[in-house]
Amino acid sequence: MNDHRTTLAIAIAVIGTVGLAGCNRNNEAPVVDQAPAPMVSPSRSPALEPAVAVPSVQVSSVTVGSSAAADKSVAAQSTLGTRDKMIVSVQTEGSANGAEVGARLTNQDGQMVDYRTVILNTSGAETTNIEFSNTEAWPAGTYTMQVTVDGQPAGMAQQVQVQ
């Protein structure tokens, strides 16, 4: 008789388990894909890596004029003639390997007249000149030069009057 009770208890347990499993059939928890945690090499710690790259070359001054000396320096001019070249002299500090230094020339209406770039490779202070010329006379008005480094504005924008 004990064998029948044991068998009956096991049968009830199995039926109860199957019944409970059947009840949960429509309410199954959604399956969530979990990616394994990334392995961190002991020699490289993510906490030591910079979040944002800091430019290694900075613009220290911008000068606009119409002629450059042998050392690339330009005497600042606030007024230029309609047939003058516009030379933007950009002094930089720091090091750069392949940095793009650009100058955007806009007119008094804010329209871009020209945009020119040079590639800068330096390990210290450097003067870079960017020249704008016009085969026709420049229309009279106020022009603004904005220097960029790798596409980002750098240095003070300079204005020049063309008369």
Side-chain angles (χ1 to χ4, degrees):
M1 192 152 239
N2 269 344
D3 282 338
H4 288 295
R5 286 187 187 175
T6 304
T7 305
L8 184 60
I10 292 173
I12 292 172
V14 169
I15 292 171
T17 303
V18 171
L20 287 175
C23 289
N24 194 23
R25 186 175 201 164
N26 293 332
N27 297 330
E28 291 180 7
V31 176
V32 177
D33 289 334
Q34 291 183 355
M39 298 285 292
V40 177
S41 167
S43 63
R44 271 185 70 195
S45 172
L48 299 177
E49 294 179 17
V52 176
V54 177
S56 58
V57 66
Q58 295 82 33
V59 172
S60 56
S61 72
V62 177
T63 308
V64 178
S66 62
S67 63
D71 66 352
K72 297 183 181 179
S73 63
V74 172
Q77 293 178 263
S78 59
T79 305
L80 297 175
T82 58
R83 298 235 176 241
D84 288 343
K85 289 187 277 187
M86 293 185 197
I87 301 175
V88 182
S89 181
V90 182
Q91 292 181 344
T92 55
E93 296 176 358
S95 61
N97 187 16
E100 183 182 83
V101 176
R104 179 175 288 116
L105 176 63
T106 56
N107 64 17
Q108 59 197 13
D109 296 328
Q111 294 179 339
M112 187 169 59
V113 175
D114 201 352
Y115 181 74
R116 302 207 175 187
T117 62
V118 295
I119 301 301
L120 182 62
N121 295 308
T122 184
S123 60
E126 182 85 24
T127 301
T128 303
N129 290 344
I130 301 174
E131 185 177 309
F132 295 88
S133 57
N134 193 350
T135 56
E136 305 293 322
W138 293 104
T142 303
Y143 292 82
T144 302
M145 295 282 189
Q146 176 64 62
V147 172
T148 61
V149 175
D150 291 330
Q152 299 301 312
M156 292 287 294
Q158 301 293 310
Q159 288 191 334
V160 65
Q161 187 71 32
V162 172
Q163 297 178 345

